[in-house]
PDB file of all heavy atoms in Angstrom:
ATOM      1  N   TRP A 261     -12.476  -6.488 -60.143  1.00  0.00           N
ATOM      2  CA  TRP A 261     -11.321  -6.125 -59.345  1.00  0.00           C
ATOM      3  C   TRP A 261     -10.142  -5.768 -60.248  1.00  0.00           C
ATOM      4  O   TRP A 261     -10.118  -6.054 -61.445  1.00  0.00           O
ATOM      5  CB  TRP A 261     -10.970  -7.273 -58.407  1.00  0.00           C
ATOM      6  CG  TRP A 261     -10.371  -8.475 -59.079  1.00  0.00           C
ATOM      7  CD1 TRP A 261      -9.051  -8.764 -59.190  1.00  0.00           C
ATOM      8  CD2 TRP A 261     -11.057  -9.561 -59.733  1.00  0.00           C
ATOM      9  NE1 TRP A 261      -8.870  -9.951 -59.866  1.00  0.00           N
ATOM     10  CE2 TRP A 261     -10.076 -10.459 -60.212  1.00  0.00           C
ATOM     11  CE3 TRP A 261     -12.399  -9.851 -59.956  1.00  0.00           C
ATOM     12  CZ2 TRP A 261     -10.399 -11.618 -60.889  1.00  0.00           C
ATOM     13  CZ3 TRP A 261     -12.726 -11.009 -60.646  1.00  0.00           C
ATOM     14  CH2 TRP A 261     -11.733 -11.875 -61.092  1.00  0.00           C
ATOM     15  N   LYS A 262      -9.140  -5.110 -59.638  1.00  0.00           N
ATOM     16  CA  LYS A 262      -7.929  -4.772 -60.388  1.00  0.00           C
ATOM     17  C   LYS A 262      -7.237  -6.052 -60.862  1.00  0.00           C
ATOM     18  O   LYS A 262      -7.216  -7.050 -60.156  1.00  0.00           O
ATOM     19  CB  LYS A 262      -6.982  -3.969 -59.507  1.00  0.00           C
ATOM     20  CG  LYS A 262      -7.469  -2.582 -59.168  1.00  0.00           C
ATOM     21  CD  LYS A 262      -6.496  -1.878 -58.231  1.00  0.00           C
ATOM     22  CE  LYS A 262      -5.176  -1.598 -58.909  1.00  0.00           C
ATOM     23  NZ  LYS A 262      -4.280  -0.792 -58.054  1.00  0.00           N
ATOM     24  N   LYS A 263      -6.612  -5.982 -62.035  1.00  0.00           N
ATOM     25  CA  LYS A 263      -5.964  -7.168 -62.591  1.00  0.00           C
ATOM     26  C   LYS A 263      -4.442  -7.099 -62.553  1.00  0.00           C
ATOM     27  O   LYS A 263      -3.778  -8.134 -62.500  1.00  0.00           O
ATOM     28  CB  LYS A 263      -6.441  -7.393 -64.024  1.00  0.00           C
ATOM     29  CG  LYS A 263      -7.910  -7.812 -64.107  1.00  0.00           C
ATOM     30  CD  LYS A 263      -8.288  -8.243 -65.501  1.00  0.00           C
ATOM     31  CE  LYS A 263      -9.708  -8.791 -65.521  1.00  0.00           C
ATOM     32  NZ  LYS A 263     -10.093  -9.287 -66.878  1.00  0.00           N
ATOM     33  N   ASP A 264      -3.870  -5.896 -62.606  1.00  0.00           N
ATOM     34  CA  ASP A 264      -2.418  -5.738 -62.580  1.00  0.00           C
ATOM     35  C   ASP A 264      -2.037  -4.882 -61.378  1.00  0.00           C
ATOM     36  O   ASP A 264      -2.398  -3.696 -61.325  1.00  0.00           O
ATOM     37  CB  ASP A 264      -1.921  -5.076 -63.871  1.00  0.00           C
ATOM     38  CG  ASP A 264      -2.247  -5.901 -65.115  1.00  0.00           C
ATOM     39  OD1 ASP A 264      -2.218  -7.142 -65.017  1.00  0.00           O
ATOM     40  OD2 ASP A 264      -2.526  -5.298 -66.157  1.00  0.00           O
ATOM     41  N   TYR A 265      -1.327  -5.467 -60.424  1.00  0.00           N
ATOM     42  CA  TYR A 265      -1.043  -4.773 -59.179  1.00  0.00           C
ATOM     43  C   TYR A 265       0.011  -5.550 -58.395  1.00  0.00           C
ATOM     44  O   TYR A 265       0.435  -6.635 -58.801  1.00  0.00           O
ATOM     45  CB  TYR A 265      -2.308  -4.637 -58.330  1.00  0.00           C
ATOM     46  CG  TYR A 265      -3.017  -5.948 -58.037  1.00  0.00           C
ATOM     47  CD1 TYR A 265      -2.767  -6.655 -56.864  1.00  0.00           C
ATOM     48  CD2 TYR A 265      -3.923  -6.494 -58.941  1.00  0.00           C
ATOM     49  CE1 TYR A 265      -3.405  -7.852 -56.593  1.00  0.00           C
ATOM     50  CE2 TYR A 265      -4.566  -7.697 -58.683  1.00  0.00           C
ATOM     51  CZ  TYR A 265      -4.296  -8.372 -57.507  1.00  0.00           C
ATOM     52  OH  TYR A 265      -4.925  -9.567 -57.245  1.00  0.00           O
ATOM     53  N   VAL A 266       0.440  -4.982 -57.268  1.00  0.00           N
ATOM     54  CA  VAL A 266       1.268  -5.722 -56.314  1.00  0.00           C
ATOM     55  C   VAL A 266       0.506  -5.800 -54.997  1.00  0.00           C
ATOM     56  O   VAL A 266      -0.262  -4.894 -54.653  1.00  0.00           O
ATOM     57  CB  VAL A 266       2.660  -5.070 -56.099  1.00  0.00           C
ATOM     58  CG1 VAL A 266       3.496  -5.147 -57.350  1.00  0.00           C
ATOM     59  CG2 VAL A 266       2.525  -3.635 -55.614  1.00  0.00           C
ATOM     60  N   PHE A 267       0.706  -6.886 -54.274  1.00  0.00           N
ATOM     61  CA  PHE A 267       0.006  -7.085 -53.002  1.00  0.00           C
ATOM     62  C   PHE A 267       0.944  -7.760 -52.009  1.00  0.00           C
ATOM     63  O   PHE A 267       1.714  -8.646 -52.379  1.00  0.00           O
ATOM     64  CB  PHE A 267      -1.253  -7.932 -53.189  1.00  0.00           C
ATOM     65  CG  PHE A 267      -2.146  -7.941 -51.979  1.00  0.00           C
ATOM     66  CD1 PHE A 267      -3.056  -6.916 -51.771  1.00  0.00           C
ATOM     67  CD2 PHE A 267      -2.063  -8.953 -51.034  1.00  0.00           C
ATOM     68  CE1 PHE A 267      -3.875  -6.900 -50.649  1.00  0.00           C
ATOM     69  CE2 PHE A 267      -2.873  -8.950 -49.915  1.00  0.00           C
ATOM     70  CZ  PHE A 267      -3.782  -7.924 -49.721  1.00  0.00           C
ATOM     71  N   THR A 268       0.845  -7.349 -50.747  1.00  0.00           N
ATOM     72  CA  THR A 268       1.762  -7.810 -49.700  1.00  0.00           C
ATOM     73  C   THR A 268       0.995  -8.421 -48.536  1.00  0.00           C
ATOM     74  O   THR A 268      -0.043  -7.895 -48.122  1.00  0.00           O
ATOM     75  CB  THR A 268       2.604  -6.630 -49.167  1.00  0.00           C
ATOM     76  OG1 THR A 268       3.302  -6.023 -50.253  1.00  0.00           O
ATOM     77  CG2 THR A 268       3.588  -7.098 -48.107  1.00  0.00           C
ATOM     78  N   SER A 269       1.512  -9.518 -48.016  1.00  0.00           N
ATOM     79  CA  SER A 269       1.016 -10.101 -46.773  1.00  0.00           C
ATOM     80  C   SER A 269       2.199 -10.445 -45.876  1.00  0.00           C
ATOM     81  O   SER A 269       3.313 -10.675 -46.357  1.00  0.00           O
ATOM     82  CB  SER A 269       0.198 -11.371 -47.031  1.00  0.00           C
ATOM     83  OG  SER A 269      -0.989 -11.085 -47.728  1.00  0.00           O
ATOM     84  N   GLU A 270       1.947 -10.479 -44.577  1.00  0.00           N
ATOM     85  CA  GLU A 270       2.994 -10.836 -43.616  1.00  0.00           C
ATOM     86  C   GLU A 270       2.588 -12.047 -42.799  1.00  0.00           C
ATOM     87  O   GLU A 270       1.406 -12.375 -42.683  1.00  0.00           O
ATOM     88  CB  GLU A 270       3.288  -9.671 -42.668  1.00  0.00           C
ATOM     89  CG  GLU A 270       2.184  -9.395 -41.667  1.00  0.00           C
ATOM     90  CD  GLU A 270       2.659  -8.647 -40.428  1.00  0.00           C
ATOM     91  OE1 GLU A 270       3.876  -8.518 -40.218  1.00  0.00           O
ATOM     92  OE2 GLU A 270       1.780  -8.220 -39.647  1.00  0.00           O
ATOM     93  N   SER A 271       3.591 -12.705 -42.229  1.00  0.00           N
ATOM     94  CA  SER A 271       3.364 -13.771 -41.269  1.00  0.00           C
ATOM     95  C   SER A 271       4.333 -13.585 -40.108  1.00  0.00           C
ATOM     96  O   SER A 271       5.311 -12.831 -40.218  1.00  0.00           O
ATOM     97  CB  SER A 271       3.576 -15.146 -41.906  1.00  0.00           C
ATOM     98  OG  SER A 271       3.331 -16.190 -40.970  1.00  0.00           O
ATOM     99  N   VAL A 272       4.031 -14.235 -39.012  1.00  0.00           N
ATOM    100  CA  VAL A 272       4.934 -14.249 -37.857  1.00  0.00           C
ATOM    101  C   VAL A 272       5.076 -15.690 -37.377  1.00  0.00           C
ATOM    102  O   VAL A 272       4.190 -16.510 -37.561  1.00  0.00           O
ATOM    103  CB  VAL A 272       4.440 -13.343 -36.704  1.00  0.00           C
ATOM    104  CG1 VAL A 272       4.352 -11.897 -37.149  1.00  0.00           C
ATOM    105  CG2 VAL A 272       3.096 -13.812 -36.165  1.00  0.00           C
ATOM    106  N   SER A 273       6.202 -15.985 -36.747  1.00  0.00           N
ATOM    107  CA  SER A 273       6.500 -17.355 -36.338  1.00  0.00           C
ATOM    108  C   SER A 273       5.837 -17.705 -35.015  1.00  0.00           C
ATOM    109  O   SER A 273       5.274 -16.860 -34.317  1.00  0.00           O
ATOM    110  CB  SER A 273       8.014 -17.535 -36.203  1.00  0.00           C
ATOM    111  OG  SER A 273       8.470 -16.851 -35.043  1.00  0.00           O
ATOM    112  N   GLU A 274       5.954 -18.978 -34.656  1.00  0.00           N
ATOM    113  CA  GLU A 274       5.414 -19.460 -33.383  1.00  0.00           C
ATOM    114  C   GLU A 274       6.064 -18.786 -32.185  1.00  0.00           C
ATOM    115  O   GLU A 274       5.490 -18.760 -31.093  1.00  0.00           O
ATOM    116  CB  GLU A 274       5.618 -20.970 -33.289  1.00  0.00           C
ATOM    117  CG  GLU A 274       7.086 -21.383 -33.217  1.00  0.00           C
ATOM    118  CD  GLU A 274       7.348 -22.766 -33.755  1.00  0.00           C
ATOM    119  OE1 GLU A 274       7.155 -22.993 -34.959  1.00  0.00           O
ATOM    120  OE2 GLU A 274       7.754 -23.629 -32.960  1.00  0.00           O
ATOM    121  N   GLY A 275       7.275 -18.234 -32.375  1.00  0.00           N
ATOM    122  CA  GLY A 275       7.975 -17.587 -31.273  1.00  0.00           C
ATOM    123  C   GLY A 275       7.713 -16.105 -31.164  1.00  0.00           C
ATOM    124  O   GLY A 275       8.217 -15.449 -30.236  1.00  0.00           O
ATOM    125  N   HIS A 276       6.936 -15.538 -32.091  1.00  0.00           N
ATOM    126  CA  HIS A 276       6.540 -14.140 -31.957  1.00  0.00           C
ATOM    127  C   HIS A 276       5.742 -13.985 -30.659  1.00  0.00           C
ATOM    128  O   HIS A 276       4.947 -14.863 -30.307  1.00  0.00           O
ATOM    129  CB  HIS A 276       5.694 -13.720 -33.160  1.00  0.00           C
ATOM    130  CG  HIS A 276       5.313 -12.278 -33.169  1.00  0.00           C
ATOM    131  ND1 HIS A 276       4.295 -11.784 -32.391  1.00  0.00           N
ATOM    132  CD2 HIS A 276       5.824 -11.220 -33.847  1.00  0.00           C
ATOM    133  CE1 HIS A 276       4.186 -10.478 -32.603  1.00  0.00           C
ATOM    134  NE2 HIS A 276       5.107 -10.114 -33.476  1.00  0.00           N
ATOM    135  N   PRO A 277       5.930 -12.894 -29.923  1.00  0.00           N
ATOM    136  CA  PRO A 277       5.257 -12.767 -28.613  1.00  0.00           C
ATOM    137  C   PRO A 277       3.749 -12.988 -28.665  1.00  0.00           C
ATOM    138  O   PRO A 277       3.181 -13.662 -27.788  1.00  0.00           O
ATOM    139  CB  PRO A 277       5.603 -11.341 -28.185  1.00  0.00           C
ATOM    140  CG  PRO A 277       6.888 -11.040 -28.876  1.00  0.00           C
ATOM    141  CD  PRO A 277       6.835 -11.765 -30.189  1.00  0.00           C
ATOM    142  N   ASP A 278       3.081 -12.435 -29.674  1.00  0.00           N
ATOM    143  CA  ASP A 278       1.633 -12.635 -29.766  1.00  0.00           C
ATOM    144  C   ASP A 278       1.287 -14.089 -30.044  1.00  0.00           C
ATOM    145  O   ASP A 278       0.264 -14.602 -29.566  1.00  0.00           O
ATOM    146  CB  ASP A 278       1.046 -11.749 -30.867  1.00  0.00           C
ATOM    147  CG  ASP A 278       1.185 -10.267 -30.566  1.00  0.00           C
ATOM    148  OD1 ASP A 278       1.233  -9.904 -29.372  1.00  0.00           O
ATOM    149  OD2 ASP A 278       1.264  -9.471 -31.527  1.00  0.00           O
ATOM    150  N   LYS A 279       2.132 -14.769 -30.806  1.00  0.00           N
ATOM    151  CA  LYS A 279       1.865 -16.169 -31.116  1.00  0.00           C
ATOM    152  C   LYS A 279       2.164 -17.089 -29.933  1.00  0.00           C
ATOM    153  O   LYS A 279       1.534 -18.141 -29.789  1.00  0.00           O
ATOM    154  CB  LYS A 279       2.666 -16.594 -32.348  1.00  0.00           C
ATOM    155  CG  LYS A 279       2.045 -16.098 -33.636  1.00  0.00           C
ATOM    156  CD  LYS A 279       0.741 -16.817 -33.868  1.00  0.00           C
ATOM    157  CE  LYS A 279      -0.265 -16.000 -34.622  1.00  0.00           C
ATOM    158  NZ  LYS A 279      -1.618 -16.526 -34.507  1.00  0.00           N
ATOM    159  N   VAL A 280       3.122 -16.710 -29.099  1.00  0.00           N
ATOM    160  CA  VAL A 280       3.325 -17.448 -27.847  1.00  0.00           C
ATOM    161  C   VAL A 280       2.026 -17.420 -27.042  1.00  0.00           C
ATOM    162  O   VAL A 280       1.577 -18.443 -26.504  1.00  0.00           O
ATOM    163  CB  VAL A 280       4.482 -16.844 -27.029  1.00  0.00           C
ATOM    164  CG1 VAL A 280       4.578 -17.499 -25.654  1.00  0.00           C
ATOM    165  CG2 VAL A 280       5.808 -16.990 -27.779  1.00  0.00           C
ATOM    166  N   CYS A 281       1.404 -16.249 -26.992  1.00  0.00           N
ATOM    167  CA  CYS A 281       0.160 -16.109 -26.237  1.00  0.00           C
ATOM    168  C   CYS A 281      -0.984 -16.888 -26.871  1.00  0.00           C
ATOM    169  O   CYS A 281      -1.774 -17.540 -26.174  1.00  0.00           O
ATOM    170  CB  CYS A 281      -0.203 -14.625 -26.129  1.00  0.00           C
ATOM    171  SG  CYS A 281       0.960 -13.677 -25.126  1.00  0.00           S
ATOM    172  N   ASP A 282      -1.081 -16.837 -28.201  1.00  0.00           N
ATOM    173  CA  ASP A 282      -2.111 -17.634 -28.880  1.00  0.00           C
ATOM    174  C   ASP A 282      -1.936 -19.118 -28.582  1.00  0.00           C
ATOM    175  O   ASP A 282      -2.916 -19.839 -28.329  1.00  0.00           O
ATOM    176  CB  ASP A 282      -2.031 -17.412 -30.397  1.00  0.00           C
ATOM    177  CG  ASP A 282      -2.597 -16.075 -30.842  1.00  0.00           C
ATOM    178  OD1 ASP A 282      -3.240 -15.386 -30.024  1.00  0.00           O
ATOM    179  OD2 ASP A 282      -2.392 -15.713 -32.015  1.00  0.00           O
ATOM    180  N   ARG A 283      -0.698 -19.575 -28.610  1.00  0.00           N
ATOM    181  CA  ARG A 283      -0.428 -20.996 -28.366  1.00  0.00           C
ATOM    182  C   ARG A 283      -0.840 -21.398 -26.949  1.00  0.00           C
ATOM    183  O   ARG A 283      -1.464 -22.448 -26.744  1.00  0.00           O
ATOM    184  CB  ARG A 283       1.065 -21.258 -28.586  1.00  0.00           C
ATOM    185  CG  ARG A 283       1.560 -22.633 -28.190  1.00  0.00           C
ATOM    186  CD  ARG A 283       1.134 -23.726 -29.159  1.00  0.00           C
ATOM    187  NE  ARG A 283       1.787 -24.983 -28.834  1.00  0.00           N
ATOM    188  CZ  ARG A 283       2.977 -25.358 -29.295  1.00  0.00           C
ATOM    189  NH1 ARG A 283       3.662 -24.570 -30.103  1.00  0.00           N
ATOM    190  NH2 ARG A 283       3.489 -26.525 -28.953  1.00  0.00           N
ATOM    191  N   ILE A 284      -0.510 -20.574 -25.977  1.00  0.00           N
ATOM    192  CA  ILE A 284      -0.869 -20.891 -24.594  1.00  0.00           C
ATOM    193  C   ILE A 284      -2.391 -20.896 -24.432  1.00  0.00           C
ATOM    194  O   ILE A 284      -2.965 -21.816 -23.830  1.00  0.00           O
ATOM    195  CB  ILE A 284      -0.209 -19.900 -23.622  1.00  0.00           C
ATOM    196  CG1 ILE A 284       1.313 -20.099 -23.612  1.00  0.00           C
ATOM    197  CG2 ILE A 284      -0.784 -20.058 -22.210  1.00  0.00           C
ATOM    198  CD1 ILE A 284       2.073 -19.024 -22.856  1.00  0.00           C
ATOM    199  N   SER A 285      -3.057 -19.886 -24.973  1.00  0.00           N
ATOM    200  CA  SER A 285      -4.517 -19.822 -24.861  1.00  0.00           C
ATOM    201  C   SER A 285      -5.180 -21.028 -25.507  1.00  0.00           C
ATOM    202  O   SER A 285      -6.146 -21.589 -24.963  1.00  0.00           O
ATOM    203  CB  SER A 285      -5.034 -18.525 -25.490  1.00  0.00           C
ATOM    204  OG  SER A 285      -4.622 -17.396 -24.750  1.00  0.00           O
ATOM    205  N   ASP A 286      -4.677 -21.452 -26.664  1.00  0.00           N
ATOM    206  CA  ASP A 286      -5.265 -22.621 -27.320  1.00  0.00           C
ATOM    207  C   ASP A 286      -4.904 -23.921 -26.608  1.00  0.00           C
ATOM    208  O   ASP A 286      -5.662 -24.897 -26.673  1.00  0.00           O
ATOM    209  CB  ASP A 286      -4.838 -22.668 -28.788  1.00  0.00           C
ATOM    210  CG  ASP A 286      -5.748 -21.833 -29.676  1.00  0.00           C
ATOM    211  OD1 ASP A 286      -6.899 -21.589 -29.266  1.00  0.00           O
ATOM    212  OD2 ASP A 286      -5.320 -21.435 -30.765  1.00  0.00           O
ATOM    213  N   ALA A 287      -3.775 -23.946 -25.926  1.00  0.00           N
ATOM    214  CA  ALA A 287      -3.453 -25.123 -25.111  1.00  0.00           C
ATOM    215  C   ALA A 287      -4.444 -25.261 -23.962  1.00  0.00           C
ATOM    216  O   ALA A 287      -4.799 -26.386 -23.565  1.00  0.00           O
ATOM    217  CB  ALA A 287      -2.029 -25.016 -24.574  1.00  0.00           C
ATOM    218  N   VAL A 288      -4.903 -24.142 -23.428  1.00  0.00           N
ATOM    219  CA  VAL A 288      -5.930 -24.175 -22.379  1.00  0.00           C
ATOM    220  C   VAL A 288      -7.237 -24.720 -22.961  1.00  0.00           C
ATOM    221  O   VAL A 288      -7.911 -25.559 -22.347  1.00  0.00           O
ATOM    222  CB  VAL A 288      -6.130 -22.780 -21.767  1.00  0.00           C
ATOM    223  CG1 VAL A 288      -7.320 -22.780 -20.812  1.00  0.00           C
ATOM    224  CG2 VAL A 288      -4.868 -22.330 -21.039  1.00  0.00           C
ATOM    225  N   VAL A 289      -7.615 -24.265 -24.161  1.00  0.00           N
ATOM    226  CA  VAL A 289      -8.811 -24.802 -24.818  1.00  0.00           C
ATOM    227  C   VAL A 289      -8.691 -26.316 -24.975  1.00  0.00           C
ATOM    228  O   VAL A 289      -9.615 -27.072 -24.634  1.00  0.00           O
ATOM    229  CB  VAL A 289      -9.026 -24.140 -26.191  1.00  0.00           C
ATOM    230  CG1 VAL A 289     -10.186 -24.808 -26.926  1.00  0.00           C
ATOM    231  CG2 VAL A 289      -9.291 -22.641 -26.036  1.00  0.00           C
ATOM    232  N   ASP A 290      -7.560 -26.771 -25.470  1.00  0.00           N
ATOM    233  CA  ASP A 290      -7.363 -28.209 -25.666  1.00  0.00           C
ATOM    234  C   ASP A 290      -7.418 -28.976 -24.356  1.00  0.00           C
ATOM    235  O   ASP A 290      -7.960 -30.093 -24.298  1.00  0.00           O
ATOM    236  CB  ASP A 290      -6.021 -28.459 -26.358  1.00  0.00           C
ATOM    237  CG  ASP A 290      -6.060 -28.158 -27.850  1.00  0.00           C
ATOM    238  OD1 ASP A 290      -7.147 -27.850 -28.367  1.00  0.00           O
ATOM    239  OD2 ASP A 290      -4.991 -28.239 -28.492  1.00  0.00           O
ATOM    240  N   ALA A 291      -6.851 -28.402 -23.299  1.00  0.00           N
ATOM    241  CA  ALA A 291      -6.859 -29.079 -21.994  1.00  0.00           C
ATOM    242  C   ALA A 291      -8.294 -29.318 -21.525  1.00  0.00           C
ATOM    243  O   ALA A 291      -8.630 -30.409 -21.028  1.00  0.00           O
ATOM    244  CB  ALA A 291      -6.088 -28.251 -20.974  1.00  0.00           C
ATOM    245  N   PHE A 292      -9.160 -28.320 -21.694  1.00  0.00           N
ATOM    246  CA  PHE A 292     -10.547 -28.479 -21.257  1.00  0.00           C
ATOM    247  C   PHE A 292     -11.320 -29.421 -22.163  1.00  0.00           C
ATOM    248  O   PHE A 292     -12.088 -30.268 -21.685  1.00  0.00           O
ATOM    249  CB  PHE A 292     -11.225 -27.108 -21.172  1.00  0.00           C
ATOM    250  CG  PHE A 292     -11.002 -26.413 -19.863  1.00  0.00           C
ATOM    251  CD1 PHE A 292      -9.900 -25.594 -19.684  1.00  0.00           C
ATOM    252  CD2 PHE A 292     -11.875 -26.599 -18.794  1.00  0.00           C
ATOM    253  CE1 PHE A 292      -9.669 -24.962 -18.473  1.00  0.00           C
ATOM    254  CE2 PHE A 292     -11.657 -25.974 -17.571  1.00  0.00           C
ATOM    255  CZ  PHE A 292     -10.550 -25.148 -17.404  1.00  0.00           C
ATOM    256  N   LEU A 293     -11.143 -29.303 -23.493  1.00  0.00           N
ATOM    257  CA  LEU A 293     -11.884 -30.177 -24.401  1.00  0.00           C
ATOM    258  C   LEU A 293     -11.436 -31.629 -24.289  1.00  0.00           C
ATOM    259  O   LEU A 293     -12.211 -32.543 -24.573  1.00  0.00           O
ATOM    260  CB  LEU A 293     -11.736 -29.683 -25.838  1.00  0.00           C
ATOM    261  CG  LEU A 293     -12.418 -28.350 -26.166  1.00  0.00           C
ATOM    262  CD1 LEU A 293     -12.160 -27.961 -27.613  1.00  0.00           C
ATOM    263  CD2 LEU A 293     -13.918 -28.414 -25.895  1.00  0.00           C
ATOM    264  N   THR A 294     -10.189 -31.865 -23.889  1.00  0.00           N
ATOM    265  CA  THR A 294      -9.718 -33.229 -23.660  1.00  0.00           C
ATOM    266  C   THR A 294     -10.508 -33.887 -22.539  1.00  0.00           C
ATOM    267  O   THR A 294     -10.838 -35.082 -22.596  1.00  0.00           O
ATOM    268  CB  THR A 294      -8.218 -33.231 -23.316  1.00  0.00           C
ATOM    269  OG1 THR A 294      -7.481 -32.734 -24.434  1.00  0.00           O
ATOM    270  CG2 THR A 294      -7.725 -34.629 -22.974  1.00  0.00           C
ATOM    271  N   GLU A 295     -10.830 -33.114 -21.524  1.00  0.00           N
ATOM    272  CA  GLU A 295     -11.542 -33.647 -20.357  1.00  0.00           C
ATOM    273  C   GLU A 295     -13.060 -33.617 -20.522  1.00  0.00           C
ATOM    274  O   GLU A 295     -13.762 -34.453 -19.964  1.00  0.00           O
ATOM    275  CB  GLU A 295     -11.145 -32.834 -19.117  1.00  0.00           C
ATOM    276  CG  GLU A 295      -9.665 -32.856 -18.791  1.00  0.00           C
ATOM    277  CD  GLU A 295      -9.180 -34.223 -18.373  1.00  0.00           C
ATOM    278  OE1 GLU A 295      -9.995 -35.017 -17.864  1.00  0.00           O
ATOM    279  OE2 GLU A 295      -7.982 -34.517 -18.573  1.00  0.00           O
ATOM    280  N   ASP A 296     -13.569 -32.617 -21.279  1.00  0.00           N
ATOM    281  CA  ASP A 296     -15.019 -32.460 -21.423  1.00  0.00           C
ATOM    282  C   ASP A 296     -15.278 -31.710 -22.724  1.00  0.00           C
ATOM    283  O   ASP A 296     -14.978 -30.521 -22.831  1.00  0.00           O
ATOM    284  CB  ASP A 296     -15.582 -31.673 -20.235  1.00  0.00           C
ATOM    285  CG  ASP A 296     -17.097 -31.474 -20.321  1.00  0.00           C
ATOM    286  OD1 ASP A 296     -17.708 -31.914 -21.313  1.00  0.00           O
ATOM    287  OD2 ASP A 296     -17.668 -30.855 -19.402  1.00  0.00           O
ATOM    288  N   ASN A 297     -15.848 -32.405 -23.719  1.00  0.00           N
ATOM    289  CA  ASN A 297     -16.032 -31.749 -25.014  1.00  0.00           C
ATOM    290  C   ASN A 297     -17.155 -30.723 -25.001  1.00  0.00           C
ATOM    291  O   ASN A 297     -17.404 -30.061 -26.018  1.00  0.00           O
ATOM    292  CB  ASN A 297     -16.255 -32.776 -26.135  1.00  0.00           C
ATOM    293  CG  ASN A 297     -17.525 -33.590 -25.954  1.00  0.00           C
ATOM    294  OD1 ASN A 297     -18.349 -33.324 -25.086  1.00  0.00           O
ATOM    295  ND2 ASN A 297     -17.689 -34.595 -26.799  1.00  0.00           N
TER     296      ASN A 297
END
């Protein structure tokens, strides 16, 4: 692989619209697994 270069990555916070949706969807997963694994 290349040895000398620049590389960029991004992140988004819990309040980003897509992350709000991820959080809600995973809360549904947790709700069901709490009652029945």
